[in-house]
Amino acid sequence: MKKKVLATMLFGFVAGVVMLAPPAAFAQADNAHVKETVTHAAEAVKHGKMGHAPILVTHAEEAMKHAEMAAKEVKSPHLDMAIKGLTDAITHGKMGHADVATAGAEEAVKHLAMMK
């Protein structure tokens, strides 16, 4: 009898915690826009390492679009930092500074990986 009562209490506690937790706590990395941000940010890094600043900018801008859409659905300091890194990548990539732009894109990828 005591086991049944304890099991019921434990179930109620866990269910309460799950219901009170924000949905974003469980779905950050599974968000479709976050996934697209990761894909394009990684491509930006790849092209930046090859010195292709214009292609880096193209992918960083696409990553930024998805990051901004994700930010409307998911609240995360790592997503905020990824957006900052992408902003740096776009700014420096447009100046032709592939090395500095790559560092910004790498920073974005690093923070996006921490969202998992």
Side-chain angles (χ1 to χ4, degrees), residues 37 60 63-64 67-68 71 76-92 100-101 103-109 111-112:
T37 303
M64 180 67 85
E68 289 171 341
S76 168
H78 291 297
L79 184 56
D80 296 339
M81 293 304 295
I83 289 171
K84 182 183 179 308
L86 291 169
T87 300
D88 292 345
I90 293 165
T91 300
H92 289 284
V100 180
E106 287 174 330
E107 190 69 15
V109 169
H111 281 285
L112 291 165

Side-chain angles (χ1 to χ4, degrees), residues 25-107:
F26 300 107
Q28 288 185 358
D30 289 336
N31 180 285
H33 291 298
V34 171
K35 288 179 180 180
E36 284 296 316
T37 303
V38 170
T39 299
H40 286 287
E43 282 294 310
V45 170
K46 182 176 106 177
H47 286 284
K49 287 182 177 182
M50 291 187 269
H52 303 157
I55 300 171
L56 177 149
V57 170
T58 299
H59 283 289
E61 287 176 334
E62 190 63 27
M64 180 67 85
K65 288 178 194 173
H66 286 285
E68 289 171 341
M69 288 187 273
K72 293 176 183 176
E73 301 169 5
V74 175
K75 300 300 177 209
S76 168
H78 291 297
L79 184 56
D80 296 339
M81 293 304 295
I83 289 171
K84 182 183 179 308
L86 291 169
T87 300
D88 292 345
I90 293 165
T91 300
H92 289 284
K94 286 182 176 180
M95 290 187 243
H97 305 153
D99 54 342
V100 180
T102 301
E106 287 174 330
E107 190 69 15

